[in-house]
Amino acid sequence: MRIYKTRIDDTLNPSPLLLKNRDTTPHHSDTTPPLTNNFGSGSPLQHQPVIEMIRGGKSFVSSPPAFSNDAKKLLVCTGNTVSVFSTDTGLQVADLEGHTALVTSVIVVPSSTPANALLCYCWTTSLDGTIRYWDFSVSELIKTVDIQLPVYSMVIPSFLDRQSENSETQPDTYAYISVEDTKTEQNKQRNLRGQIRKCNLSKSRLVRGAILSETKKPEKITISSNGKYFGVHEKRKIRVWEVPTKDGKNISHRNIKLTHTKNLSCIAFHPTDRIVAAGDATGRILVWRGFGDKTFADKDLENEKVSKDEDDKPGVRGEGDADSCTTWHWHSSEVKVLYFSSDGAYLFSGGKEGVLVGWQLDTGKKKFLPRIGTPLLSFTSSPDSSLSSISCADNRIHILKMPRMEILKSISGIKLPTPVPDMFRGSCNDFVFDRTAGLVAVRTENYCIQFYSLFDDREISEVQVCERNHQPSDDVTMILNLVALSFDGSVMCTVETRMAEEGIGGFVTLKFWDRRSQNNDYNLSTIIYEPHRDAGVSAVAFHPTRCMAASASYGGDFKVWVSNHDIQPNDKLIQRTRWACHAVGSYQKKPMTAAAFSNDGSVLAVAAETVVTLWDPEKNVLVAVIGSTREPIGNLSFIGDSGFLASASHGANPQLSVWDMSKLSVSWSYKLHVEAIASSDKDSHFAVLVLLPEPSNAEVATSHNADGAILLFNAGEPVAVASWFVTKAKGGGLAFIQSRSLDDNMDENDNPGSGLLAYVNGDHEYAIFNPHGLETQERKVRHTDSVPSLEVTGQSGYASIYGKLPEFKLNAIEASAETVTPSERPWETIFSGPSHSLPPLTKLCSAFLESLLEKRSGDGLVK
Amino acid sequence: MAINDKQTFTIKPKLKPTTKKSSSTPEQKYWKSFKSKEPQPLISSITSLAFSPTSPHDFAATHSATVTIFSSQTLQPKSTISAFKDTATSGCFRSDGLLLAAGSLSGLIQIFDVKKRAPLRKLSGHTRPVHFVTYPRVDKLHLFSGGDDSVVKYWEVWSGTHRSFTGHKDYVRCGDGSPVNDHMFVSGSYDHTVKFWDVRESSNSSALVLSVDHGAPVEDVVYLPSGGLVASAGGNSVKIWDVIGGGKLLHSMECHNKTVTKLCVAKIGDDGRNGDFGNQFRIMSVSLDGYLKVFDYSRLKVTSSIRYPKSLMSVAFSPDGSTRVVGSSNGDLYAGKRKTSENAESVKSEWGKYVGFGAIDEPEKRVLRPSYFRYFHRGQSEKPSKGDYIITRPKKVKLAEHDKLLKKFHHKEALVAALTAKNPENVVAVMEELVSRKKLLKCVSNLGTDELGLLLSFLQKYSTMPRYANVLIVLAKKVVENRVEDISGSEELKGYVRNLKRSVAEEIRIQESLQEIQGMISPLLKIAGRR
């Protein structure tokens, strides 16, 4: 386990927050403004509180991943780090940490010969303005090139050009990078912020004057797999450059432009021929054959080429330098992915439909990998093209077995937030927490609920709530509104809404799910159509101990549901639970906007717009009505056993109020825009996630571009106990979760009852930390302890002949007798494996003959 | 991280609410397993049914002026005895199954040879109709009878002499002999009493052992197999009495809604499939409300209830537990036989006897060669043995026509396919799917005249059904609005719209009357709630 010091970065900023009057004006005049009392009022950086923290929930699909040379590992850009996954198990193996901003591309240094296929070097670019060189087998940073401009994309042609590798003197490695020009002022006026520049990676500097083009925004560079051409697409045109064969100081880069009538979305180059394919926003795929015949052709051949008939260029628009242009149309919306197979026979395309289409390039025949169920974002192939990966918009990477297009493994990150139409903004919760198991249940786009382990940073399971196929359309007609989990996580309640088409159809469905024993799949137990007539459901709350739930609706009533187990004695004791309505209540026909059970379950609080009504859930008797706020209450939460109730209302006059249940009156309140409330079950602490009003007048906040804060309160006192700045707080959530018993060092020096605070931001990145701890140390998620074997042992190709490469260690000689296990009968395995990954036949022949004569083993090399 | 193989989801209709007792207990299954074929129409009300105590347990039904004897194997009539001047009642087999006694409304009791159908004895003594004739369980020489002259008689059959017991004050309609003692019997009468008699006592007063009051005219009374308990039926209730305990009322079963007409004791056959309730006894009761109820008197619980379309008059259950017969007031005889694997087998073996012409030589197993067609099919019908791990072929999702069309985004065709398939649930489900694709109104506007007619007739049929009304009423309105030109252009479509209008008007009438009822009830409820 490694322990890192926390940096000030964008997810969670552990500096104390000084709340002054200007920001959070308490609207009760008798309360004092909250002041952080345990950190004093010193400079934030001096008193940096250090808290142990687990983070995760990174996006895997922000940039295309890259395969290692042996196709056993997949390098995925995850936020500021690069995560290395095993393609065999789909689990994370290692992390490359060093970049301080989003990593935008990763390029693995290819191996020219199969012998050094185990080389594990890669280049990464990031928005922090650096390009770094890593050895990812040991997660070690080797070199950093600081170019001080945010890099959006990079290609390195010389890696792909096989001929240049043979020369003895290693030439400088040049890269073409797409950067955002943040320095020159004049570009801002011209509104051209993107530049494509050339960079000498060997000498760690930009090639002076080599600005190939300027665009409005930084574009993604695509390179052909033979390293001869690279290009970008910009609005309705493609620009293609030829990579100069000799890299000198003043080499002009010849380029051509190809135009189209629609906005282009992606391009791809044929690996051998001069063919470029581009997808446009309407779903068409354009294939230009023989581009750049005039411009890129060698000088001596030029005369012959020109003599060819100039007029006959079917399909090519304007002055485009290409022989012909053909159009394929299958996709109904924007093409996001284009990729030529390594032999150039197939073109793969994908888009919003979630279908991977393989086009036979000569005939245009299609084959499909359907039902991926989510828009595709990128496609990459391993060097030996036996595996490939598709990145999907739902933060999932599928690893495909290639010629068959069959999904082998899926690497799933936490699902990304789904867009919610405005009319449902109030009545949607993006995620709920399973406090005991440390899980978060995330609503996904395909009517699923993903259970994601916060401690392991890994998907646990997925529940299909509504059986409906993925429909590639823009407008949401059906939405999973609400998810609620009972306290032990054994029962789940979901609410889904189908929208009407001009008044026809459209209804709300309430579903109860129960979990059988300890396997994590939920089974549907009860469906209730239109639980509150045609009104939408605003909140669902579970009773802490009994099988009871309450659903509040905008239609002015709430219902209490109970489950009755009926055990059928005849066959195998099938236990079925049914949920039935136990009671209906309403208060002055007002819309019910929130509901919560008290911790002992004796009181049900339902917010009827601006007042809170308290009910006895058993007898369905109105016990009391308390207070009124200015805006409808959107969130209710009982605070532990303390006898306080916290409420939050949104709108023009947002308000956080804490009600004293013993006096039935407001205890204290602030004018704060509260996004989420979390209360611990044991003591009287609760935390709120607050959106900061305006960053304009901030002295502290803007430096970290934080837009929210987490405040930890003790229910009785209106002064915050602790506070943290956070980013992307909009749509975020908070919860107290129980720490794992395994993490003994996590809470050995603080009170055991309080548990950890989990914060999930609007992009579903999360952090777990101990709100009461004084020391912050970031801790990595321990992937290795739960993963028994990450690498699959199996020898083919090189290893079958020579055995494993010996490890050059001091003790290797003593241990060598055991370390190497060459196959007993190498003539059987010598020719196994894909033909392109085998050593050349001349080498194989001699090795084969030798293997018949004597056993060779790898330790011979050491001796 | 599991590989999730996504499957296609088909369009499913909304689920229907299920009742709580959706699944039946094993005993209910047992009683339901008596498969009734078409009811046998007999001439008039079946006054009694009786099984022969000897195998093959044929049974006799008295109806009109005849007694029909049925075979319990085929459930078909075997022979008919019609030597009655008036309606025959209360058929009863002797313990050896050779003789049959029956009463009649003329007051005459006759004894027949079952085989020859000839009346052997005619016992006249009752002056009024006889509704109760029965043999003792073992004794072959005596008979018990009771008549509307409120006299109970004990007959010596060979001599034709009888002894009368008086004590009842109204018609005697039923009775039963004790299963443990052939000298004891019980009789039930319309004077609400059940009286227990011992024929060994000489005087009339001492012969009356016990008398209990049922509280209603007693329609039937039976001894339970132990001989210590008696069940009596009268009014809507069946009561169980403890005879040994001095006529104590043990239980009163009140689950019929009309007069209980007949009782019988049924023994559940123990053929190894009945689990823990094999070889137990139940009371079966039939009533004018058309229900046959099975009552477990050890647990004091009604275990099964079967509804018949007519009021029931009589019931009998074969001693081997394989046949159940129920007779109704209009002469329909519901005979049900329980299917058992043994009798299926025995039928088969018998069948084989008739068909087989001696042993046919098994064809020699020839060695399969590639020149035979079967060679290429060898091993395909191999059954897996117990330890084998079976790799099942991935189940192919069967897609309905509309599902296939929806997958291809042929929306209008999908709607038409669902409409022609005529399953209203599926049609509404397809409509809901189209709504969520925002394509329903476009589909409606694209429909041709014939297809529009299809849709309109569907709307006319189902738009007032509460399950579908939510979607269909609004849709009907939109259809009429959008396609007004096409509808006015075609006579056929106009007819559909006229029908639609009529059904809507009908529905409005119903709703109005329901509202009236609600208006009447709600003040009552309010008053009731105030208490």
Side-chain angles (χ1 to χ4, degrees), chain A residues 90 371 396 408 458 467-469 471 475 477 498-499 501-504 507 527 529-530 564, chain B residues 1 3-4 6 8-9 12 14-15 20 409 432-433 435-438 440-441 470 474 478:
Chain A
R371 291 194 282 281
R396 183 180 289 222
L408 283 182
R458 176 152 29 120
E467 294 194 339
R468 189 155 182 265
N469 297 323
Q471 308 280 352
D475 39 355
T477 55
R498 281 170 179 253
M499 273 158 251
E501 180 193 10
E502 298 190 30
I504 306 173
F507 54 90
I527 302 181
Y529 297 108
E530 305 189 340
N564 45 345
Chain B
M1 300 245 173
I3 308 159
N4 61 338
K6 302 251 180 180
T8 317
F9 297 116
K12 281 184 197 134
K14 281 188 189 177
L15 297 175
K20 232 176 189 179
F409 300 91
E432 273 164 2
E433 174 62 26
V435 162
S436 53
R437 295 183 185 191
K438 299 208 170 167
L440 182 58
L441 289 183
N470 199 2
V474 192
K478 292 271 177 193

Side-chain angles (χ1 to χ4, degrees), chain A residues 650-788:
Chain A
H650 309 292
N653 290 306
Q655 190 175 351
L656 167 71
S657 311
V658 174
W659 311 84
D660 191 341
M661 287 293 104
S662 54
K663 294 174 191 158
L664 294 176
S665 64
V666 68
S667 174
W668 51 271
S669 71
Y670 285 118
K671 186 179 173 183
L672 287 173
H673 192 100
V674 174
E675 193 69 22
I677 304 180
S679 55
S680 63
D681 6 333
K682 300 277 164 46
D683 51 14
S684 58
H685 282 101
F686 74 103
V688 289
L689 177 63
V690 176
L691 293 186
L692 294 182
E694 275 299 312
S696 59
N697 56 351
E699 298 150 26
V700 197
T702 44
S703 59
H704 317 302
N705 69 41
D707 61 351
I710 298 171
L711 305 176
L712 183 70
F713 286 101
N714 204 338
E717 299 159 30
V719 183
V721 179
S723 53
W724 300 268
F725 278 126
V726 293
T727 56
K728 298 174 199 160
K730 182 100 184 144
L734 269 184
F736 279 95
I737 56 174
Q738 287 174 11
S739 57
R740 279 189 178 178
S741 52
L742 300 172
D743 301 336
D744 41 1
N745 53 346
M746 198 80 162
D747 47 3
E748 60 190 359
N749 47 3
D750 41 67
N751 46 342
S754 58
L756 305 172
L757 190 61
Y759 164 64
V760 180
N761 74 6
D763 284 352
H764 288 186
E765 293 163 349
Y766 65 82
I768 308 173
F769 56 95
N770 187 342
H772 304 290
L774 291 175
E775 300 216 335
T776 302
Q777 274 154 347
E778 187 178 349
R779 228 176 49 130
K780 280 169 56 73
V781 180
R782 289 184 292 176
H783 292 283
T784 43
D785 53 5
S786 55
V787 181

Side-chain angles (χ1 to χ4, degrees), chain A residues 459-521:
Chain A
E459 179 186 278
I460 300 294
S461 63
E462 205 172 53
V463 178
Q464 182 87 34
V465 170
C466 172
E467 294 194 339
R468 189 155 182 265
N469 297 323
H470 172 67
Q471 308 280 352
S473 77
D474 290 321
D475 39 355
V476 180
T477 55
M478 193 170 161
I479 187 167
L480 194 58
N481 293 69
L482 289 173
V483 189
L485 284 171
S486 67
F487 279 62
D488 55 349
S490 63
V491 186
M492 177 170 72
C493 177
T494 59
V495 178
E496 69 201 47
T497 308
R498 281 170 179 253
M499 273 158 251
E501 180 193 10
E502 298 190 30
I504 306 173
F507 54 90
V508 182
T509 314
L510 184 71
K511 287 179 179 169
F512 286 99
W513 307 74
D514 52 355
R515 190 168 61 183
R516 298 272 157 76
S517 62
Q518 274 309 305
N519 55 354
N520 281 306
D521 27 323

Side-chain angles (χ1 to χ4, degrees), chain A residues 381-411:
Chain A
S381 187
S382 66
D384 60 354
S385 70
S386 63
L387 293 178
S388 57
S389 76
I390 348 171
S391 305
C392 303
D394 63 350
N395 205 6
R396 183 180 289 222
I397 298 173
H398 294 293
I399 295 168
L400 305 185
K401 178 97 185 151
M402 211 34 219
R404 281 188 287 167
M405 302 213 312
E406 176 192 16
I407 295 178
L408 283 182
K409 273 275 175 289
S410 296
I411 300 169

